[in-house]
RNA sequence: GGGUCCAUAGCUCAGCUGGUUAGAGCGCUUCGUUCACAUCGAAGAGGUCAUAGGUUCGAGUCCUAUUGGACCCACCA
């Protein structure tokens, strides 16, 4: 044996040994209750980050522990297509070569992204192997596997048949730059300073950051308790604006904050979520003024008759301008008209931004929706009633709050990369659908189907199709395949969380397969708390909806690994820790243990660099204990008897002490693992092995006469320690195990977990 | 605005259902290298457990308030 443990030289070999042994694939044994974990699928084209390593470490501990207990243990690997994120990454690559997604028709773009993902795929898988993850690779899934897509589409159909799917105009978080909508939970808010304009508005003064939207205001709102405006409620007032005089009704709503600005607000249902709600409540018309490219659209005004030429000139001036450009011009015009009263330059507020950091423009867009009211109730109750237990317990509040506030789920994404919604529109019946397509000579043409088909053939349009904008009253049919010649398929894809929300079902072959029947529902779902609402809640929802049973019995939420400086890791801060470097230097076992010992309580924690080093030293300590033992065996020269009860009478006090401590350790490790106290378990083993076994017991027996007794006790203790430690530090323990001659169990990974000796 | 968590040794943190002298890793001091390991061993210094009340025979651990910090959700005309 080498003087020190060299992780780099043995890790790959050891993993291969496990994989070849078939230990990762459990036997389906109907007499035993299985233990199952689904790996939260990382982004297929991504790379592992420290959070992934922690996730792998925890799940691997649970799986290896149960496997050694003789329980059929299944850990299913997979990767996610990560729709928006991947597409943004891909488009960034396109930009480098001077291209954009508009240079592709939909199918070619999809194929290009597929190829891009395929080229980058495999890195994550390789890294998972490197981490020692004892995943059953024979059951590997990707969220765009044919079978997964089929199941996801069937679920959509079922939801529709149950009346839970509808199409509607809706105010969505639309990003004009990305050309797509974002779910509420995908939107970030950025603190920013913008001028707050106080403008004259009929008899009132109102404050707004967005004067450009005023042309499509449909009401004014005040707080019903506000005495200042009491007399105006219900009345119609005349408002002189930049495009002439309009009439506006004053409504009362308790949502209006009398203390903000002047206490009176203008309502623009088409471009503000809050106003949209208000509009629905008071049945106000919804009138958009900003188009999907983020430009002002005054088309509605041009058709008007008897308009003063000055106003028409203005409308033409604003038309087609980007929001910010238009705003600047309007502010000048307001000044000129004497309508601008004052500007508060120091007003700060938070503005919604998309994943790529662009401003969100709340917009009205036809969208596919899921009605969540009936779906969320049983999912909510499953946790309330303890059918699904959440650890740590205090995280449960987040779940309940989310469930209580969850509103209908906007399902469509204007992404190409994803599962295309299995709905088809018959061209002849839907002339009002707007389509964008790429002509054979590379031009993008946009227009209504009825007009486009006069100049182009349907085949041409189909071949170059980029996207459809379908009015909500369009007729459609469900089908996974084309229902006929005259049909066009919806170009929107499902929200990524719609497919990943069905992960427990699609990985196990729902609705009917031996795996599904045996392994569903799974045992534990282990993931970061930040996707409790995005992902965990959806899985419970779909699990209960489709099978009547929640997909797992327990949820364990680990904390976020922060950088060394205690802040979130981010590229812009330059504090991102690359796990590979730590693996190279200290070994996988040390990195896993270091992270595990940081995660007590499921709280966020700083990357525990010192602990990684400490556990590297520990792996070496363990190595040297074994080395000492093998030397001692050699020196003794004869076969050391296996430890069993017949030896009891010959034991010295120190033997009895170490054996007693070992028994206590087995008990406490089991108990701690049962309640997800990984750090506690790890530290107790560490303490025992280092301080009791190495520092004390080994020193005590160095000069003993009865070597056969103490060496027998030593070997027993070492073997048991290796077993206890194996789930935590699989590589070094297996490597040592392989070096100890004459064992009954060939591989440590499948060796029998210690039981408490009485 | 609503909510969660945190405040314990110089640093990073453990301390589960309240119970004798409060723990770990790193750092620090002193000593020790043929004899498993310097990625080591032995000994040691260092904390009025944020503050103020309260419950209790007993509180770092439970309750209330205050201060400071991290984060989540919602809203922001």
């Amino acid at each position: 044996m080498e003087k020190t443990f060299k992780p780099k030289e043995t890790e790959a070999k050891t993993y291969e040994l496990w994989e070849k042994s078939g230990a990762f694939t459990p036997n389906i044994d109907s007499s035993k209750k299985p233990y199952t974990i689904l790996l939260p699928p990382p982004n297929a084209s991504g790379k592992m980050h420290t959070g992934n390593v922690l996730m792998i470490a925890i799940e691997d501990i649970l799986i290896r522990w149960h496997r050694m207990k003789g329980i059929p243990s299944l850990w299913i690997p997979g990767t996610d297509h990560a729709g928006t994120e991947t597409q943004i990454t891909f488009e960034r690559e396109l930009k480098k070569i001077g291209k954009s997604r508009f240079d592709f028709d939909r199918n070619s773009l999809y194929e290009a992204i597929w190829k891009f993902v395929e080229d980058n795929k495999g890195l994550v898988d390789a890294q998972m192997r490197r981490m020692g993850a004892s995943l059953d690779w024979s059951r590997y899934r990707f969220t765009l596997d044919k079978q997964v897509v089929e199941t996801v589409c069937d679920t959509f159909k079922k939801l529709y048949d149950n009346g839970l799917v509808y199409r509607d105009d809706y105010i969505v978080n639309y990003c004009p730059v990305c050309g797509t909508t974002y779910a509420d939970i995908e939107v970030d808010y950025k603190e920013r300073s913008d001028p707050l304009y106080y403008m004259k508005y009929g008899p009132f003064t109102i404050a707004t950051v967005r004067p450009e939207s005023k042309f499509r205001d449909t009401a004014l709102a005040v707080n019903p308790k506000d005495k200042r405006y009491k007399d105006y409620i219900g009345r119609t007032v005349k408002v002189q604006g930049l495009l002439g005089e309009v009439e506006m009704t004053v409504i009362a709503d308790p949502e209006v904050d009398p203390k903000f600005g002047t206490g009176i607000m203008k309502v623009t249902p088409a471009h503000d979520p809050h106003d949209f709600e208000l509009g629905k409540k008071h049945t106000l018309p919804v009138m958009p003024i900003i188009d999907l490219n983020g430009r002002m659209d005054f088309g509605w005004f041009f058709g008007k008759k008897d308009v003063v030429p000055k106003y028409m000139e203005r409308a033409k001036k604003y038309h087609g301008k980007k929001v910010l450009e238009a705003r600047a011009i309007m502010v000048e015009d307001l000044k000129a008209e004497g309508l601008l009263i004052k500007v508060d330059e120091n007003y700060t507020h938070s503005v919604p931004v998309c994943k790529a950091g662009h401003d969100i423009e709340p917009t009205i867009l036809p969208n596919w929706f899921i009605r969540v009211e009936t779906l969320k109730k049983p999912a909510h109750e499953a946790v309330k009633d303890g059918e699904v237990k959440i650890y740590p317990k205090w995280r449960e509040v987040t779940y309940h709050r989310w469930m209580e506030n969850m509103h209908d789920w906007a399902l469509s994404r204007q992404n190409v990369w994803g599962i295309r919604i299995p709905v088809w529109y018959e061209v002849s019946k839907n002339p009002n659908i707007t389509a964008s397509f790429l002509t054979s000579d590379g031009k993008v043409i946009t227009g209504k189907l009825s007009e486009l088909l006069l100049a182009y053939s349907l085949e041409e349009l189909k071949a170059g199709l980029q996207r459809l904008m379908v009015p909500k009253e369009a007729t459609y049919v469900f089908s996974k395949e084309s229902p006929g010649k005259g049909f066009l398929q919806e170009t929107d894809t499902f929200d990524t969380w719609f497919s990943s929300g069905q992960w427990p079902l699609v990985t196990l072959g729902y609705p009917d397969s031996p795996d599904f029947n045996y392994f569903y529902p799974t045992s534990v779902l282990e993931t970061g708390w930040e996707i409790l609402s995005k992902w965990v809640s959806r899985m419970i929802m779909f699990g209960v909806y489709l099978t009547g049973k929640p997909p797992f019995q327990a949820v364990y939420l680990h904390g976020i690994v922060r950088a060394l400086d205690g802040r979130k890791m981010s590229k812009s801060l330059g504090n991102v820790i690359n796990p590979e470097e730590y693996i190279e230097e200290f070994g996988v076992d040390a990195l896993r243990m270091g992270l595990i010992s940081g995660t007590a309580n499921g709280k966020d924690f700083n990357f525990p660099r010192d602990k990684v080093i400490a556990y590297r030293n520990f792996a070496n300590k363990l190595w040297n204990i074994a080395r000492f033992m093998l030397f001692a065996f050699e020196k003794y020269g004869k076969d050391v008897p296996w430890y069993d009860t017949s030896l009891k009478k010959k034991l010295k006090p120190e033997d009895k002490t170490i054996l007693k401590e070992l028994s206590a350790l087995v008990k406490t490790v089991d108990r701690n693992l049962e309640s997800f106290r990984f750090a506690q378990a790890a530290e107790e083993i560490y303490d025992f092995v280092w301080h009791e076994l190495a520092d004390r017991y080994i020193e005590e027996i160095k000069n003993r006469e009865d070597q056969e007794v103490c060496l027998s006790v030593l070997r027993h203790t070492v073997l048991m320690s290796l077993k206890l430690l194996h789930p935590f530090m699989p590589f070094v323990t297996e490597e040592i195990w392989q070096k100890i001659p004459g064992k009954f169990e060939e591989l440590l990974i499948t060796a029998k977990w210690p039981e408490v000796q009485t």
Side-chain angles (χ1 to χ4, degrees):
Chain A
M1 262 174 110
E2 299 256 353
K3 210 170 166 183
T4 54
F5 173 56
K6 306 260 170 51
K8 253 170 91 174
E9 291 165 17
T10 57
E11 282 167 356
K13 202 187 70 205
T14 305
Y15 194 86
E16 208 176 302
L17 185 70
W18 293 327
E19 200 170 358
K20 278 198 180 139
S21 78
F24 298 164
T25 302
N27 291 321
I28 294 186
D29 176 349
S30 55
S31 70
K32 288 178 177 170
K33 204 171 163 253
Y35 186 82
T36 316
I37 296 180
L38 303 169
L39 177 82
N43 185 340
S45 61
K47 236 173 84 178
M48 297 279 267
H49 57 262
T50 30
N52 294 141
V53 180
L54 175 63
M55 169 180 93
I56 296 273
I58 293 174
E59 292 171 24
D60 199 35
I61 287 171
L62 290 170
I63 284 291
R64 284 179 189 266
W65 175 46
H66 282 91
R67 186 187 291 123
M68 288 172 82
K69 283 172 133 183
I71 295 167
S73 304
L74 173 62
W75 188 16
I76 303 186
T79 44
D80 188 43
H81 65 279
T84 311
E85 200 182 324
T86 304
Q87 190 162 339
I88 287 174
T89 310
F90 178 76
E91 288 186 34
R92 216 174 281 142
E93 294 299 310
L94 279 184
K95 207 176 168 185
K96 285 182 193 162
I97 55 168
K99 285 193 171 179
S100 85
R101 65 171 188 271
F102 299 106
D103 297 322
F104 294 81
D105 65 77
R106 197 187 184 288
N107 288 339
S108 312
L109 183 59
Y110 185 88
E111 273 162 33
I113 302 178
W114 185 280
K115 192 174 174 303
F116 170 76
V117 170
E118 205 59 44
D119 288 348
N120 289 282
K121 221 169 152 180
L123 180 60
V124 160
D125 300 352
Q127 285 179 313
M128 289 193 270
R129 284 168 201 267
R130 189 151 190 215
M131 301 306 315
S134 57
L135 289 154
D136 182 359
W137 295 103
S138 71
R139 288 179 163 91
Y140 184 92
R141 286 279 181 281
F142 175 49
T143 49
L144 294 181
D145 283 350
K146 193 167 180 287
Q147 182 219 336
V148 175
V149 172
E150 298 245 327
T151 306
V152 168
C153 291
D154 288 343
T155 301
F156 184 64
K157 177 73 161 58
K158 184 173 172 179
L159 286 163
Y160 179 79
D161 290 342
N162 288 356
L164 299 176
V165 170
Y166 63 94
R167 271 177 75 71
D168 197 5
D169 276 349
Y170 201 71
I171 188 99
V172 289
N173 304 301
Y174 182 81
C175 172
V177 183
C178 301
T180 188
T181 56
Y182 289 94
D184 288 353
I185 45 181
E186 289 176 306
V187 173
D188 291 324
Y189 287 84
K190 216 165 63 185
E191 194 75 17
R192 204 168 64 192
S193 174
D194 278 311
L196 180 65
Y197 302 98
Y198 284 79
M199 37 194 243
K200 194 162 159 32
Y201 215 80
F204 311 115
T205 300
I206 59 153
T208 179
V209 179
R210 312 200 53 186
E212 69 277 5
S213 67
K214 66 175 275 191
F215 304 102
R216 309 258 70 182
D217 295 347
T218 50
L220 286 162
V222 297
N223 191 294
K225 286 182 186 156
D226 196 330
K227 286 184 187 133
R228 293 172 291 179
Y229 307 114
K230 212 176 160 202
D231 295 342
Y232 286 102
I233 294 172
R235 279 174 52 191
T236 298
V237 297
K238 288 189 170 156
V239 175
Q240 178 63 40
L242 291 176
L243 298 184
E245 195 178 73
V246 290
E247 291 193 336
M248 200 79 65
T249 307
V250 181
I251 59 169
D253 196 285
E255 297 269 303
V256 181
D257 178 4
K259 290 194 281 290
F260 185 92
T262 57
I264 184 157
M265 65 176 267
K266 61 192 199 66
V267 187
T268 320
H271 295 292
D272 184 285
H274 188 241
D275 291 11
F276 182 79
E277 287 299 319
L278 217 57
K280 265 210 307 217
K281 211 156 126 189
H282 298 270
T283 53
L284 302 172
V286 177
M287 308 189 294
I289 188 153
I290 302 164
D291 71 12
L292 295 175
N293 296 315
R295 292 175 187 275
M296 304 301 291
D297 180 0
F298 282 80
W300 54 276
F301 192 77
F302 298 150
K304 286 196 172 178
K305 283 171 189 161
D306 306 326
V307 175
V308 179
K310 178 173 89 170
Y311 296 146
M312 192 51 85
E313 283 308 306
R314 273 199 189 137
K316 281 184 182 153
K317 189 169 65 173
Y318 306 148
H319 183 74
K321 291 267 189 320
K322 288 205 165 178
V323 167
L324 285 181
E325 295 166 6
R327 186 185 301 171
I329 301 170
M330 287 172 197
V331 168
E332 286 312 308
D333 288 350
L334 284 169
K335 267 186 205 160
E337 291 280 331
L339 293 171
L340 190 67
I341 290 165
K342 66 165 181 172
V343 183
D344 179 358
E345 295 284 354
N346 298 319
Y347 176 65
T348 57
H349 61 159
S350 52
V351 288
V353 294
C354 78
K355 277 189 170 173
H358 312 122
D359 279 15
I360 289 288
E361 188 64 68
T363 304
I364 296 294
L365 210 65
N367 209 312
W368 291 91
F369 282 88
I370 292 187
R371 229 181 284 281
V372 296
E373 206 50 47
T374 54
L375 288 175
K376 74 180 186 182
K377 206 169 160 249
H380 193 182
E381 278 162 5
V383 174
K384 256 195 209 158
D385 301 345
E387 206 180 336
V388 178
K389 291 204 172 63
I390 294 181
Y391 299 90
K393 176 97 175 142
W394 53 267
R395 292 271 187 217
E396 217 182 282
V397 184
T398 317
Y399 181 82
H400 292 309
R401 286 182 55 77
W402 166 254
M403 277 302 178
E404 280 153 21
N405 298 329
M406 192 180 202
H407 51 247
D408 283 2
W409 182 2
L411 209 57
S412 336
R413 291 293 172 279
Q414 282 73 49
N415 284 339
V416 161
W417 187 237
I419 299 178
R420 195 165 174 181
I421 296 178
V423 157
W424 299 73
Y425 305 101
E426 192 165 0
V427 174
S428 59
K429 287 184 184 161
N430 294 292
N432 284 331
I433 290 177
T434 302
S436 295
F437 79 105
L438 196 65
T439 59
S440 49
D441 51 350
K443 266 198 215 144
V444 176
I445 309 280
T446 302
K448 291 198 171 173
L449 284 182
S450 52
E451 292 152 12
L452 292 178
L453 290 174
L454 297 177
Y456 302 91
S457 73
L458 181 58
E459 290 317 306
E460 205 173 348
L461 193 148
K462 245 184 193 169
L465 187 63
Q466 288 183 329
R467 67 184 269 215
L468 300 175
M469 301 280 295
V470 183
K472 66 177 168 182
E473 53 291 337
T475 59
Y476 51 86
V477 292
F478 279 89
S479 178
K480 286 183 245 178
E481 307 295 330
S482 172
K485 264 198 163 178
F487 286 85
L488 288 172
Q489 187 177 359
E490 171 65 81
T491 48
D492 283 1
T493 49
F494 289 122
D495 180 3
T496 297
W497 299 107
F498 183 67
S499 45
S500 52
Q502 298 174 58
W503 195 236
L505 304 164
V506 296
T507 47
L508 288 172
Y510 167 86
D512 187 36
S513 77
D515 270 9
F516 181 74
N517 296 331
Y518 186 61
F519 293 108
Y520 190 91
T522 67
S523 310
V524 176
L525 189 274
E526 196 281 338
T527 189
W529 57 263
E530 78 278 11
I531 48 176
L532 180 64
S533 39
K534 282 177 197 165
W535 191 44
V536 180
S537 64
R538 265 81 185 255
M539 283 194 289
I540 299 179
M541 225 162 72
F542 287 131
V544 175
Y545 172 65
L546 292 171
T547 73
K549 283 186 229 159
F552 27 74
Q553 291 149 23
V555 177
Y556 177 78
L557 300 164
H558 62 250
I560 308 288
V561 188
R562 291 180 308 227
L564 293 165
D565 57 8
R567 290 190 292 180
K568 252 191 186 176
M569 288 187 205
S570 79
K571 275 183 193 158
S572 56
L573 286 173
N575 59 1
V576 177
I577 291 165
N578 177 7
E580 299 265 348
E581 289 168 20
Y582 282 83
I583 294 173
E584 280 294 311
E585 195 172 354
F586 304 112
V588 173
D589 290 329
L591 178 60
R592 288 173 49 143
M593 268 299 243
L595 287 167
I596 284 297
S597 68
T599 188
N601 258 337
K603 281 182 309 201
D604 295 354
F605 60 100
N606 302 354
F607 183 80
R609 185 173 199 282
D610 288 348
K611 293 216 167 142
V612 175
I613 298 169
Y615 282 112
R616 186 273 312 257
N617 296 350
F618 179 59
N620 190 56
K621 189 75 188 176
L622 198 66
W623 182 262
N624 273 286
I625 290 170
R627 192 158 165 252
F628 168 82
M629 184 172 79
L630 295 183
F631 281 147
F633 283 0
E634 223 169 277
K635 223 162 94 188
Y636 178 62
K638 287 173 277 182
D639 276 352
V640 175
W642 285 96
Y643 172 79
D644 62 33
T645 43
S646 67
L647 226 61
K648 247 182 182 167
K649 284 180 197 145
K650 297 180 183 167
L651 296 179
K652 293 269 163 61
E654 60 259 34
D655 302 327
K656 287 181 184 162
T657 306
I658 197 78
L659 289 170
K660 223 174 92 187
E661 284 167 347
L662 178 63
S663 284
L665 180 68
V666 172
K667 220 167 167 175
T668 172
V669 167
D670 266 328
R671 213 192 52 221
N672 281 316
L673 285 180
E674 271 153 24
S675 44
F676 301 104
R677 287 201 290 265
F678 305 102
Q680 191 80 12
E683 273 158 31
E684 264 155 20
I685 306 172
Y686 173 94
D687 190 66
F688 172 81
V689 169
W690 200 310
H691 302 302
E692 312 305 335
L693 178 58
D695 289 349
R696 202 193 64 227
Y697 187 69
I698 286 184
E699 293 305 320
E700 281 168 349
I701 64 169
K702 271 184 179 166
N703 298 312
R704 273 203 10 203
E705 296 293 325
D706 54 343
Q707 285 288 299
E708 99 218 25
V709 176
C710 61
L711 287 185
S712 167
V713 171
L714 177 64
R715 179 171 53 201
H716 175 71
T717 311
V718 167
L719 292 180
M720 291 302 120
S721 301
L722 289 174
K723 286 183 175 183
L724 290 175
L725 204 49
H726 182 255
F728 300 86
M729 305 181 85
F731 288 105
V732 67
T733 49
E734 184 72 77
E735 179 67 16
I736 294 174
W737 187 267
Q738 293 305 319
K739 292 203 181 309
I740 299 176
K743 305 166 305 285
F744 295 116
E745 293 158 310
E746 203 50 49
L747 283 174
L748 181 54
I749 188 174
T750 45
K752 195 165 165 290
W753 185 253
E755 276 167 19
V756 183
Q757 318 255 315
T758 42

